[in-house]
Amino acid sequence: MFRRAFWFTAGAAAGVWATTKVNRQLKKLTPESLAAQAADKAVEAGHRLKDFALDVKAGMSQREDELNDALGLRHDPDRPDNVTALPGPRRMRAIQNDKTTREIRSAGSHNRNEDH
Protein backbone atom coordinates (compact mmCIF):
# COMPACT_ATOMS: atom_id res chain seq x y z
CA MET A 1 0.00 0.00 0.00
CA PHE A 2 2.81 2.44 0.90
CA ARG A 3 4.76 1.44 -2.17
CA ARG A 4 1.85 2.33 -4.45
CA ALA A 5 1.28 5.64 -2.66
CA PHE A 6 5.00 6.48 -3.01
CA TRP A 7 5.07 5.76 -6.75
CA PHE A 8 1.77 7.58 -7.30
CA THR A 9 3.14 10.66 -5.51
CA ALA A 10 6.46 10.45 -7.36
CA GLY A 11 4.63 10.18 -10.70
CA ALA A 12 2.35 13.11 -9.86
CA ALA A 13 5.35 15.24 -8.83
CA ALA A 14 7.21 14.33 -12.03
CA GLY A 15 4.13 15.23 -14.10
CA VAL A 16 3.75 18.61 -12.38
CA TRP A 17 7.47 19.32 -12.81
CA ALA A 18 7.37 18.38 -16.53
CA THR A 19 4.23 20.41 -17.13
CA THR A 20 5.68 23.55 -15.55
CA LYS A 21 8.92 23.06 -17.47
CA VAL A 22 7.07 22.76 -20.79
CA ASN A 23 4.88 25.79 -20.02
CA ARG A 24 7.95 27.91 -19.26
CA GLN A 25 9.53 26.93 -22.56
CA LEU A 26 6.31 27.71 -24.44
CA LYS A 27 6.14 31.15 -22.83
CA LYS A 28 9.70 31.81 -24.01
CA LEU A 29 8.60 31.12 -27.60
CA THR A 30 5.74 33.65 -27.71
CA PRO A 31 6.27 36.58 -30.11
CA GLU A 32 6.34 39.11 -27.26
CA SER A 33 9.00 37.14 -25.40
CA LEU A 34 11.09 36.68 -28.54
CA ALA A 35 10.87 40.42 -29.27
CA ALA A 36 11.94 41.25 -25.72
CA GLN A 37 14.87 38.82 -25.97
CA ALA A 38 15.96 40.36 -29.27
CA ALA A 39 15.74 43.87 -27.82
CA ASP A 40 17.83 42.81 -24.82
CA LYS A 41 20.45 41.28 -27.10
CA ALA A 42 20.55 44.44 -29.23
CA VAL A 43 21.03 46.64 -26.16
CA GLU A 44 23.77 44.33 -24.90
CA ALA A 45 25.50 44.41 -28.30
CA GLY A 46 25.28 48.22 -28.30
CA HIS A 47 26.96 48.39 -24.90
CA ARG A 48 29.72 46.04 -26.07
CA LEU A 49 30.25 48.13 -29.21
CA LYS A 50 30.41 51.32 -27.15
CA ASP A 51 32.96 49.75 -24.79
CA PHE A 52 35.01 48.59 -27.79
CA ALA A 53 34.95 52.09 -29.31
CA LEU A 54 36.07 53.62 -26.01
CA ASP A 55 38.91 51.10 -25.76
CA VAL A 56 40.02 51.87 -29.32
CA LYS A 57 39.90 55.61 -28.64
CA ALA A 58 41.98 55.21 -25.46
CA GLY A 59 44.49 53.05 -27.33
CA MET A 60 44.73 55.57 -30.15
CA SER A 61 45.35 58.39 -27.70
CA GLN A 62 48.01 56.39 -25.88
CA ARG A 63 49.74 55.45 -29.14
CA GLU A 64 49.59 59.06 -30.36
CA ASP A 65 51.29 60.20 -27.15
CA GLU A 66 53.96 57.53 -27.59
CA LEU A 67 54.61 58.59 -31.19
CA ASN A 68 54.72 62.29 -30.24
CA ASP A 69 57.29 61.48 -27.55
CA ALA A 70 59.33 59.37 -29.98
CA LEU A 71 59.29 62.09 -32.65
CA GLY A 72 60.06 64.87 -30.21
CA LEU A 73 56.79 66.67 -30.78
CA ARG A 74 55.59 68.81 -27.94
CA HIS A 75 52.16 70.05 -26.99
CA ASP A 76 51.68 73.80 -27.35
CA PRO A 77 49.27 74.94 -24.61
CA ASP A 78 48.72 78.30 -26.38
CA ARG A 79 46.94 76.58 -29.24
CA PRO A 80 43.22 76.22 -28.59
CA ASP A 81 42.79 73.29 -30.98
CA ASN A 82 45.24 71.11 -28.99
CA VAL A 83 47.45 70.54 -32.02
CA THR A 84 50.98 69.43 -31.35
CA ALA A 85 53.66 71.56 -32.96
CA LEU A 86 57.06 70.62 -34.30
CA PRO A 87 60.04 72.14 -32.51
CA GLY A 88 61.40 75.28 -34.14
CA PRO A 89 64.23 73.99 -36.39
CA ARG A 90 62.35 70.87 -37.45
CA ARG A 91 59.24 72.86 -38.26
CA MET A 92 61.18 75.19 -40.54
CA ARG A 93 62.83 72.24 -42.31
CA ALA A 94 59.46 70.60 -42.79
CA ILE A 95 58.03 73.77 -44.33
CA GLN A 96 61.08 74.19 -46.59
CA ASN A 97 60.93 70.55 -47.68
CA ASP A 98 57.24 70.92 -48.45
CA LYS A 99 57.93 73.93 -50.70
CA THR A 100 60.73 72.07 -52.45
CA THR A 101 58.53 69.05 -53.01
CA ARG A 102 55.78 71.22 -54.48
CA GLU A 103 58.24 72.90 -56.86
CA ILE A 104 59.58 69.54 -58.03
CA ARG A 105 56.10 68.18 -58.57
CA SER A 106 54.93 71.23 -60.49
CA ALA A 107 58.09 71.39 -62.64
CA GLY A 108 58.08 67.72 -63.45
CA SER A 109 54.37 67.23 -63.89
CA HIS A 110 53.59 65.14 -66.89
CA ASN A 111 50.12 64.52 -68.20
CA ARG A 112 49.90 60.92 -69.26
CA ASN A 113 46.78 61.59 -71.29
CA GLU A 114 48.76 63.74 -73.78
CA ASP A 115 50.76 60.70 -74.90
CA HIS A 116 47.78 59.17 -76.66
Side-chain angles (χ1 to χ4, degrees), residues 22 34 52 55 67 69-70 75 82 96 106 112 114:
V22 167
L34 291 175
F52 174 72
D55 288 344
L67 290 172
D69 289 343
H75 177 71
N82 294 331
Q96 290 170 354
S106 63
R112 295 178 71 190
E114 292 177 358

Side-chain angles (χ1 to χ4, degrees), residues 49-96:
L49 188 61
K50 178 184 170 190
D51 291 342
F52 174 72
L54 290 174
D55 288 344
V56 168
K57 186 176 179 181
M60 285 174 31
S61 177
Q62 179 184 0
R63 183 63 178 149
E64 183 178 0
D65 291 341
E66 290 172 1
L67 290 172
N68 285 338
D69 289 343
L71 293 174
L73 299 176
R74 66 176 188 270
H75 177 71
D76 190 2
D78 295 333
R79 288 188 164 197
D81 54 358
N82 294 331
V83 175
T84 55
L86 287 170
R90 282 188 175 179
R91 186 166 187 259
M92 290 306 294
R93 274 186 281 168
I95 291 172
Q96 290 170 354

